[in-house]
């Protein structure tokens, strides 16, 4: 697989998989912010973890593209 294909797939995965999930968890955080259940804080922590995982996915795709070229 070429480097361009690897990066294109990683970008597609970033925008079609990671971003909607991150935005959904942030929306849950905003919608539950007025409640005192702790769900809002948990959703923010989950969104932060998802951002870190998506960056790891992108960096591993960058490494794979560098190896392929």
């Amino acid at each position: 697989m070429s480097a361009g294909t690897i990066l294109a797939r990683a970008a597609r995965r970033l925008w079609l998989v990671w971003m909607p999930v991150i935005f959904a968890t942030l929306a849950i955080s905003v919608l539950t912010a007025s409640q005192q259940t702790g769900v809002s804080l948990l959703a923010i922590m989950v969104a932060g973890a998802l951002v870190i995982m998506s960056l790891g996915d992108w960096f591993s795709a960058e490494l794979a593209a560098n190896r392929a070229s």
Side-chain angles (χ1 to χ4, degrees):
M1 204 178 322
S2 71
T5 305
I6 293 171
L7 292 179
R9 286 185 179 182
R12 189 176 322 126
R13 194 169 49 244
L14 181 69
W15 288 106
L16 295 178
V17 176
W18 289 110
M19 289 303 166
V21 172
I22 291 169
F23 289 145
T25 55
L26 288 176
I28 290 170
S29 173
V30 168
L31 293 174
T32 60
S34 63
Q35 301 172 357
Q36 297 296 324
T37 59
V39 174
S40 180
L41 179 63
L42 179 64
I44 289 172
M45 290 170 39
V46 168
L50 288 170
V51 167
I52 291 171
M53 289 184 349
S54 68
L55 288 174
D57 184 31
W58 179 259
F59 290 143
S60 63
E62 286 277 344
L63 288 173
N66 285 339
R67 283 190 220 114
S69 61

